[in-house]
Amino acid sequence: MMLPLRVRTLSTAWGFALIGALASLPVAAVINWLPNSEATIGGGTMTIGAFIAGVIAVIRSADPDAAGLRAGFLDGVLAVLTFIVTVGTAVAWPLSRVVFFVFASGLILCVAPIFGLGFGRVGGWVANTVASR
C-alpha cells in the first residue's frame, strides 16, 4: 500500500511576506537609481516589502503584523546577502573586520523584523482605512 505524499505549504503569513518581498524589489531598485538617493536595495525592500505584505494580509483577512515581521526578516537576509556580494568580495578581510561583520549582520537580522512589523502594521492600517471609505 502506498502512503500519500506529504506536501508542506507555506503559512499564509510567510506567503504574504514572500510576495511583499518579491514585489518590492523592482520598486527599491528604481528608488536606488534616483539621483542623490542614499537608499539601498535591502533598506528599500525592508520598508516597502513589509508595507505590501501588510496590505495583502489585511485584504486576505490575515494578520498584517505577522506578515510584516516575516517580510522584514526576509529583507534583512536580503540586505546582508547584498552586502556580502557587493562589498564582501572586493576587500581584504582581517579578523577584526570579520568579527564586526558577524556582529553587525546579527544586529541587522534582529532589527529588520522590528521595522517589518512596524511597516506591516502601517500597511494594514492604510488598507483598512482605504477599504472603509
Side-chain angles (χ1 to χ4, degrees):
M1 181 164 127
M2 290 185 59
L3 295 174
L5 184 64
R6 289 190 143 194
V7 178
R8 289 188 159 194
T9 60
L10 290 175
S11 69
T12 56
W14 276 109
F16 298 148
L18 189 60
I19 291 169
L22 291 175
S24 68
L25 285 173
V27 176
V30 168
I31 291 172
N32 190 27
W33 287 336
L34 290 174
N36 298 323
S37 174
E38 295 294 326
T40 62
I41 297 292
T45 57
M46 195 178 305
T47 55
I48 298 167
F51 182 85
I52 293 171
V55 169
I56 294 171
V58 164
I59 291 171
R60 298 293 180 116
S61 301
D63 185 18
D65 296 343
L69 185 84
R70 287 164 176 82
F73 176 74
L74 288 174
D75 296 328
V77 170
L78 178 70
V80 170
L81 291 176
T82 303
F83 179 79
I84 289 173
V85 169
T86 57
V87 177
T89 58
V91 295
W93 286 80
L95 180 60
S96 60
R97 188 173 291 167
V98 171
V99 170
F100 175 76
F101 176 73
V102 169
F103 176 74
S105 297
L107 186 65
I108 288 171
L109 292 177
C110 289
V111 172
I114 296 171
F115 279 104
L117 175 74
F119 281 97
R121 186 171 287 179
V122 169
W125 174 77
V126 167
N128 277 332
T129 302
V130 170
S132 67
R133 289 186 182 216

